[in-house]
Amino acid sequence: MTTSVLVPLGIRHHGPGSARAVRAALEELQPDLVVVEGCPELDPLVAHVADPGLVPPVAALVYAADDPRRASFYPFAAFSPEWVALRWAVARGVPVRFADLPAVHQLAPVDVEGDPEDARPASYPDVIGTLARTAGYDDPERWWEDAVELPDATGSVLDRFALLREAVTEVRDAHRSEHPDEDLENARREAAMRRVVRAAFKEGHERVAFVCGAFHAPALHLPDFPAAAHDNRLLARLPRTKVAVTWVPWTHGRLQFTSGYGAGVGSPGWYDHLFTWADRDRDGVVPAWMVAVARALRTAGIDAPPASLVEATRLADELAVMRGRPSAGLAELQDAVLTVLCDGSAVPLQLVEEQVVVGQRLGEVPEHVPMAPVAADLARQQRAVRLKPSASVTETVLDLRTPNGRARSALLHRLRLLGVAWGTPIDAGRTTGTFKEAWRLQWDPGFAVALVDAGLRGTTVADAAARTVAEDAAVAPDLPALSDLVEACLLADLPAGLAAVVDALAERTTHQHDALALAESVGPLARTRRYGDVRGADTTHVADLLGTVVVRASVGLRAACASLDDDAAARARRAIETCDEGVTLLDDEALRRPWHEALGALAADEAPHGSVVGRANRLLLDAGLVVPATAAERMARRLSPAAPAPAAAAWLDGFLAGDAAVLLHDDDLLRILDDWMAGTADAVFDDLLPLLRRTFARFSSAERRAVARGVGRGPRSGGASGGLVLDVDGAAPVLAGVARLLGAPEVGGAVA
C-alpha cells in the first residue's frame, strides 16, 4: 500500500529566497499535486497562469456578488513563492488547487448577533520576530533576509523547510502555553486547508506539496493532523454568500506593507531584482542594482558617473563584510548609494526608494480573461483613446477641440464619478482657456473594486456613471450639490444623467425658499450653459432652469441678508459672488437685470452685515452700475467716526476683497481710508489690526507698495481732492503706521 506524502513548504509571502527554495523543493519532490494557500474559489484562475499575457505583478480578486465592496485580493509578484509554484505546476501539467477558508464564508455579511466566539480577539504569535530575536537580531526583516533570502541552498532543500517548520512549531507551542484560548480564525483556516488535503488523498494523489505561509506549516504536518470530525465541527454552520473571481493588474507599490497589505514587504523592487539576478548571475546582483539606481538618478537629472558606481559597489561589499553578513543586502546598498551617489543627501535617496527599491511596475492581464463588465468596457475605452494606465505619476494636457481630447476628458470625469480617481484635474497653466484641460494620472489597482461595484449600476462606464449621478441627485443635500452634479454631467458628457439631475434640481427649486441656496447654485449652472457648446452638450433645459433660479434668488436676496452674524455673512458673500460670476459669465440681459436690481437694493441698505454690503457695492462698481462718487460717498458713510469700527472693517473687507486696483485709481477712496485709519482710537485700532491685516494680506506685494506710495504722495493735482493742503510732518506717524500695515519699507521715518 502506497504511503501518502504531504510536504508543507512554509514560506514568507513575496520572498525571493523562498521562491527559489520552493522551486528547488518541487524539483526534488516531484509532487503529483500542488496546493497553494488561498481560497478554493481561485481554482478556475489557474488556467490563465501559463498565458504570456498575464504578467505579474497581478492579483486574484474575489468579491461578493451582491456587494463587491466586500472583496479580497491575493497578490502575486514574479518573486512570490506561490506564483513560482503555480508556474512550475502548470508548465509540467501537475494539477493545482487552492486551500484556505472558502471566500463564500470569509466575505459573508457579518452577523453581529452570531457566535460570541467569533468576536473573541485573536492573539497571533510573532513567528519571524521571535526567531530573529532568538538568533540575536533586533530586525526581523534582516534576519529573514540573511537566513532565507540571501544564502544559497546547501543539502536537501526539503530538509531546510522541515527545520523551519520545526522552529515555527516551537514558537507556536510556546505562544499557546501563554495564550490557551483558541485562535478561532486561524483554526478554521487551517481546518479548511486540511480538508482539501484529505480530499486530495482520497482522490488518489500520493505526493502533495503545500505552499503556505510559514506560520501555517506546523498545522499541515500530516502526522499531527487532528481527526476530520474536529475540523468539520470548526467549519459547520458558517454564513455563506455568492462570490466571483477574476485577475486584475497589480503594482509593486501595492505589495508594500505601508500600503496596508498585511503580508506586504518593504522593498518589492529590490526583491524582484534579487530574484531575477540570482537566476542569471549571482555575482551580478550588486553591480546590476547600482546600474538601475544610476538610471533612475540620471533620469531625474542627477549625475551618476561610472566611476562612482564602481566605488559604491565596492563600498556595499565592504560594508557587508564589516557587518558579518553573507553578502550585501539592501541596507548596505542604500548606505553605499547615500554616501557615494547622493553625497549624503536624503532627497535623491528618496527618489531611489520610490523608483528602484519599491518600483513602479504595473502588471498586465490579457483581454480574454473574464472580468467585470465595467472593467472590460474601461479596457476597451483605454485602447480607443490611447490612454494607457501606469503606476507612475504622469501629466497630460487635453485639447477639448479634438475628438480624442474630449473622449479622454469624458472618460476621466466619468471614472471620478464612479470613485475611480485615475486622473486628478490640475491647473492647465497658460493655455487657451476653456479648450484646455490638464490632468495628473496614476493608476491604483484598488480601483478594481470600485469598477466591480459600478457594475451594479450599469455594464459600461457611461451607463454606470449616469446611474450613479441620478442616484446621487436623489439624495443630494441641497441645491448647490445638485448644481455641482449638473456641471459634473457636462464634464463627463452624460446626457441621461444631466436630464435626471436637471429634473431633480427643477423639482427641488420649486420648494426652495432660501435665496442664498438658490444663488449658490447659479455658478455651476452658468458654467454648464456657457461651456456646453465646447463639448457639444444640449443645455437648453439648463438655460430654462437658470432663468428661474436667478429671478428667485434676486427677489429674496435682500431679505436673506438681514440679521447675519459673521459666519452667516461669509456664506452670504460667497453665494453673492458665485451668482454674480455666473450672471456675468453668460452676459444675458434677462439674467442681468433682476440680479443687478437686487444687488443695487442691497448695496444701498445700511442695515445688513458690512461684509455683504461692501461686496455688493464693489460688484456694482466693477460693473459700472455705481459711479465712483457714489461708491466714495457710501464708503465715507460706512467709515465715518460714528460707525462702529468692526462693522466698518467688515464693509472695507467686502469692498476691497483682495483687489487693490480701486484704491490705486481713485484718490477719494484712498483718502477716505487714510482718514478713517488715522482717526481711529489707539485701543480700537489694536482690536482692528487683525481684521485689517487679513484684508490687506490678500493684496500682492506690488499692490501693497503702490498703495503705500499713494498714501505718501497725497492726492494728485487736478483730482477730486486737488485743493486739499497736506500737513506731511503732522501726518508722518500715521503714514508710518500705514506703511507697517501694508508692508512698505520706511526710510528715516518716511515711507520710501
Side-chain angles (χ1 to χ4, degrees):
M1 181 176 179
T2 304
T3 302
S4 299
V5 176
L6 170 64
V7 179
L9 304 177
I11 51 91
R12 195 263 179 92
H13 299 295
H14 315 303
S18 293
R20 293 194 302 273
V22 163
R23 185 169 53 197
L26 294 176
E27 289 290 347
E28 183 177 340
L29 180 63
Q30 291 296 313
D32 57 15
L33 176 68
V34 173
V35 182
V36 176
E37 179 184 330
C39 64
E41 288 85 355
L42 301 180
D43 285 351
L45 298 183
V46 175
H48 304 288
V49 169
D51 192 320
L54 188 67
V55 180
V58 292
L61 168 63
V62 55
Y63 57 92
D66 61 338
D67 184 4
R69 289 167 293 185
R70 299 199 309 271
S72 294
F73 291 101
Y74 292 82
F76 300 92
F79 51 85
S80 300
E82 300 92 335
W83 180 258
V84 170
L86 291 173
R87 294 295 296 265
W88 184 92
V90 170
R92 291 159 179 77
V94 177
V96 178
R97 291 182 188 171
F98 284 93
D100 202 335
L101 185 65
V104 295
H105 304 312
Q106 295 186 48
L107 300 179
V110 177
D111 183 4
V112 295
E113 298 181 357
D115 188 344
E117 291 187 347
D118 292 343
R120 211 165 44 203
S123 175
Y124 304 104
D126 180 8
V127 172
I128 295 179
T130 302
L131 293 175
R133 288 190 295 272
T134 302
Y137 283 73
D138 58 2
D139 184 353
E141 294 291 325
R142 176 164 291 193
W143 172 80
W144 184 269
E145 189 169 310
D146 285 353
V148 180
E149 304 299 344
L150 292 178
D152 293 323
T154 56
S156 171
V157 69
L158 294 178
D159 291 342
R160 293 177 60 200
F161 276 113
L163 290 173
L164 181 61
R165 174 181 54 77
E166 292 174 5
V168 174
T169 301
E170 293 294 328
V171 176
R172 286 183 53 147
D173 289 345
H175 181 82
R176 188 178 295 112
S177 66
E178 297 177 5
H179 304 83
D181 291 340
E182 185 177 25
D183 176 1
L184 191 57
E185 178 185 348
N186 277 311
R188 284 173 172 167
R189 293 183 60 193
E190 291 167 355
M193 295 177 188
R194 290 189 293 265
R195 175 181 283 182
V196 172
V197 172
R198 291 190 185 98
F201 286 148
K202 189 173 182 179
E203 294 168 4
H205 293 287
E206 298 176 354
R207 296 185 312 283
V208 177
F210 199 131
V211 181
C212 62
F215 175 84
H216 299 295
L220 299 172
H221 187 222
L222 189 57
D224 298 331
F225 268 29
H230 169 270
D231 290 344
N232 291 337
R233 284 194 299 270
L234 284 172
L235 299 174
R237 300 186 304 277
L238 295 179
R240 300 177 64 89
T241 191
K242 186 178 180 181
V243 302
V245 297
T246 186
W247 286 109
V248 296
W250 209 245
T251 65
H252 277 172
R254 292 280 291 196
L255 286 170
Q256 275 191 295
F257 50 70
T258 55
S259 70
Y261 174 39
V265 295
S267 48
W270 161 244
Y271 274 9
D272 183 77
H273 176 85
L274 192 62
F275 179 72
T276 302
W277 276 90
D279 285 343
R280 295 180 186 175
D281 177 10
R282 183 70 189 177
D283 294 332
V285 170
V286 174
W289 178 259
M290 291 299 178
V291 170
V293 170
R295 184 180 300 114
L297 292 174
R298 290 167 183 165
T299 300
I302 301 173
D303 289 339
S308 296
L309 298 185
V310 173
E311 181 60 28
T313 301
R314 182 183 299 113
L315 178 58
D317 290 335
E318 291 174 354
L319 286 172
V321 173
M322 293 173 58
R323 295 170 180 176
R325 305 197 65 188
S327 60
L330 182 59
E332 288 70 37
L333 292 169
Q334 288 294 84
D335 287 345
V337 168
L338 175 63
T339 302
V340 179
L341 296 177
C342 299
D343 294 327
S345 172
V347 176
L349 188 66
Q350 180 63 32
L351 173 69
V352 174
E353 286 275 354
E354 296 173 357
Q355 300 288 328
V356 189
V357 176
V358 175
Q360 297 183 330
R361 182 172 300 173
L362 176 65
E364 300 178 14
V365 175
E367 300 176 13
H368 54 268
V369 170
M371 61 180 68
V374 176
D377 178 63
L378 173 59
R380 288 191 294 269
Q381 293 196 52
Q382 287 170 334
R383 293 190 298 272
V385 301
R386 300 186 299 281
L387 200 58
K388 186 176 181 180
S390 171
S392 59
V393 177
T394 60
E395 294 185 0
T396 184
V397 177
L398 307 181
D399 187 342
L400 302 181
R401 294 169 295 186
T402 66
N404 192 58
R406 290 193 298 272
R408 287 182 171 188
S409 173
L411 177 61
L412 293 171
H413 281 292
R414 290 170 181 173
L415 290 173
R416 288 176 61 82
L417 290 172
L418 295 177
V420 180
W422 177 21
T424 302
I426 58 176
D427 185 7
R430 300 176 64 87
T431 63
T432 55
T434 62
F435 295 104
K436 294 289 185 180
E437 203 174 66
W439 292 83
R440 179 176 292 114
L441 305 176
Q442 184 178 28
W443 185 259
D444 186 333
F447 295 153
V449 173
L451 291 173
V452 173
D453 184 53
L456 299 178
R457 299 182 293 279
T459 58
T460 66
V461 173
D463 290 344
R467 180 68 179 274
T468 298
V469 167
E471 292 177 357
D472 290 346
V475 297
D478 49 35
L479 289 183
L482 281 171
S483 299
D484 289 340
L485 286 176
V486 169
E487 190 171 17
C489 289
L490 166 70
L491 298 173
D493 189 18
L494 297 173
L498 180 61
V501 177
V502 170
D503 289 344
L505 187 57
E507 191 275 333
R508 193 82 63 90
T509 300
T510 60
H511 303 288
Q512 179 59 261
H513 302 291
D514 184 353
L516 296 180
L518 291 165
E520 287 174 319
S521 66
V522 170
L525 291 174
R527 288 191 294 271
T528 301
R529 177 62 175 164
R530 172 64 178 84
Y531 300 128
D533 59 338
V534 177
R535 299 172 182 268
D538 182 3
T539 59
T540 304
H541 295 302
V542 175
D544 296 339
L545 178 62
L546 188 58
T548 301
V549 171
V550 171
V551 169
R552 295 193 59 200
S554 302
V555 170
L557 179 63
R558 189 174 179 183
C561 292
S563 303
L564 301 178
D565 59 17
D566 290 344
D567 292 338
R571 183 226 171 180
R573 180 169 151 182
R574 288 193 300 269
I576 290 171
E577 291 171 340
T578 299
C579 188
D580 189 78
E581 178 186 355
V583 170
T584 303
L585 182 67
L586 293 179
D587 193 23
D588 184 340
E589 178 61 25
L591 301 179
R592 274 203 316 269
R593 186 176 61 256
W595 176 244
H596 286 157
E597 289 176 357
L599 276 185
L602 180 62
D605 192 346
E606 297 187 7
H609 195 283
S611 176
V612 173
V613 177
R615 193 71 193 123
N617 274 281
R618 178 58 183 276
L619 293 175
L620 292 172
L621 178 65
D622 290 345
L625 300 176
V626 167
V627 297
T630 300
E633 178 187 347
R634 291 176 178 174
M635 183 176 183
R637 189 161 55 247
R638 294 306 291 249
L639 301 186
S640 69
W651 191 97
L652 184 65
D653 184 68
F655 186 77
L656 296 180
D659 182 4
V662 67
L663 295 178
L664 300 178
H665 298 291
D666 194 311
D667 287 340
D668 282 342
L669 295 177
L670 186 58
R671 176 181 55 79
I672 293 169
L673 171 61
D674 184 25
D675 291 344
W676 174 68
M677 294 180 66
T680 303
D682 291 344
V684 176
F685 186 81
D686 290 342
D687 294 335
L688 289 180
L689 190 57
L691 301 176
L692 295 173
R693 186 178 297 277
R694 182 185 64 186
T695 298
F696 287 103
R698 299 191 185 106
F699 298 166
S700 67
S701 298
E703 287 177 326
R704 291 198 297 269
R705 288 193 297 270
V707 170
R709 285 195 297 269
V711 172
R713 181 184 62 244
R716 299 174 221 176
S717 60
S721 304
L724 183 65
V725 178
L726 295 178
D727 181 358
V728 178
D729 293 336
V734 176
L735 296 177
V738 173
R740 287 194 299 272
L741 179 65
L742 298 178
E746 296 180 53
V747 179
V751 179

Coordinates of all heavy atoms in Angstrom, one line a residue, residues 16 20 23 78 84 273-282 285:
P16 N 11.9 36.4 -2.3 CA 12.6 35.7 -3.5 C 13.4 34.5 -3.0 O 13.5 33.5 -3.8 CB 13.5 36.8 -4.0 CG 13.6 37.8 -2.9 CD 12.3 37.7 -2.1
R20 N 12.9 30.7 -4.7 CA 13.9 29.8 -5.2 C 13.9 28.5 -4.4 O 14.0 27.4 -5.1 CB 15.3 30.5 -5.1 CG 15.5 31.7 -5.9 CD 16.9 32.1 -6.0 NE 17.5 32.3 -4.7 CZ 17.5 33.5 -4.1 NH1 16.9 34.5 -4.7 NH2 18.0 33.7 -2.9
R23 N 10.9 26.4 -5.6 CA 11.2 25.8 -7.0 C 12.1 24.6 -6.8 O 11.9 23.5 -7.4 CB 11.8 26.8 -7.9 CG 12.0 26.3 -9.3 CD 12.3 27.5 -10.2 NE 13.5 28.2 -9.7 CZ 13.8 29.5 -10.1 NH1 13.1 30.1 -11.0 NH2 14.9 30.1 -9.5
A78 N 6.5 38.3 -9.5 CA 7.3 37.3 -10.1 C 8.1 36.6 -9.1 O 8.5 35.4 -9.3 CB 8.2 38.0 -11.2
V84 N 5.6 31.2 -8.3 CA 6.6 30.3 -8.8 C 6.0 28.8 -8.8 O 6.2 28.1 -9.7 CB 7.9 30.4 -8.0 CG1 8.8 29.2 -8.3 CG2 8.6 31.7 -8.2
H273 N 14.5 42.4 -8.2 CA 15.8 42.4 -8.7 C 16.6 41.2 -8.1 O 17.3 40.5 -8.9 CB 16.5 43.7 -8.3 CG 18.0 43.8 -8.7 ND1 18.4 44.2 -10.0 CD2 19.1 43.5 -8.0 CE1 19.7 44.1 -10.0 NE2 20.2 43.7 -8.9
L274 N 16.5 40.9 -6.9 CA 17.2 39.8 -6.2 C 16.8 38.5 -6.8 O 17.7 37.6 -7.1 CB 17.0 39.8 -4.7 CG 17.8 39.0 -3.8 CD1 19.3 39.4 -3.9 CD2 17.3 39.1 -2.4
F275 N 15.5 38.3 -7.1 CA 15.1 37.0 -7.6 C 15.5 36.9 -9.1 O 16.0 35.8 -9.5 CB 13.5 37.0 -7.5 CG 12.9 35.7 -8.1 CD1 13.0 34.5 -7.4 CD2 12.2 35.8 -9.3 CE1 12.5 33.4 -7.9 CE2 11.7 34.6 -9.8 CZ 11.8 33.4 -9.1
T276 N 15.4 37.9 -9.8 CA 15.8 37.8 -11.3 C 17.3 37.6 -11.4 O 17.7 36.7 -12.2 CB 15.4 39.1 -12.0 OG1 14.0 39.4 -11.8 CG2 15.7 39.1 -13.4
W277 N 18.1 38.4 -10.7 CA 19.6 38.2 -11.0 C 20.2 37.0 -10.3 O 21.2 36.6 -10.7 CB 20.3 39.5 -10.5 CG 20.2 40.5 -11.6 CD1 19.2 41.5 -11.8 CD2 21.1 40.7 -12.7 NE1 19.5 42.2 -12.9 CE2 20.6 41.7 -13.5 CE3 22.3 40.0 -13.1 CZ2 21.3 42.1 -14.6 CZ3 22.9 40.4 -14.2 CH2 22.4 41.5 -15.0
A278 N 19.6 36.5 -9.2 CA 20.1 35.3 -8.6 C 20.0 34.1 -9.6 O 20.9 33.2 -9.5 CB 19.3 35.0 -7.4
D279 N 19.1 34.1 -10.5 CA 19.0 33.1 -11.5 C 20.0 33.3 -12.6 O 20.6 32.4 -13.2 CB 17.6 33.0 -12.1 CG 16.6 32.4 -11.1 OD1 17.1 31.7 -10.2 OD2 15.4 32.5 -11.3
R280 N 20.2 34.6 -13.0 CA 21.1 34.9 -14.1 C 22.6 34.8 -13.7 O 23.3 34.0 -14.3 CB 20.8 36.3 -14.6 CG 19.5 36.6 -15.2 CD 19.4 38.0 -15.6 NE 18.0 38.3 -16.1 CZ 17.6 39.6 -16.4 NH1 18.5 40.6 -16.4 NH2 16.4 39.8 -16.8
D281 N 22.9 35.6 -12.7 CA 24.3 35.7 -12.3 C 24.4 36.2 -10.9 O 24.2 37.4 -10.6 CB 25.0 36.7 -13.2 CG 26.5 36.9 -12.8 OD1 27.0 36.1 -12.0 OD2 27.1 37.8 -13.4
R282 N 24.7 35.3 -9.9 CA 24.7 35.7 -8.5 C 25.7 36.8 -8.2 O 25.4 37.7 -7.4 CB 25.1 34.4 -7.7 CG 25.0 34.7 -6.2 CD 23.6 34.8 -5.7 NE 23.5 35.2 -4.3 CZ 22.4 35.5 -3.7 NH1 21.3 35.4 -4.3 NH2 22.5 35.8 -2.4
V285 N 24.4 40.6 -8.9 CA 23.3 41.2 -8.2 C 23.6 42.7 -7.8 O 22.8 43.6 -8.1 CB 22.9 40.4 -7.0 CG1 21.9 41.2 -6.1 CG2 22.3 39.1 -7.4

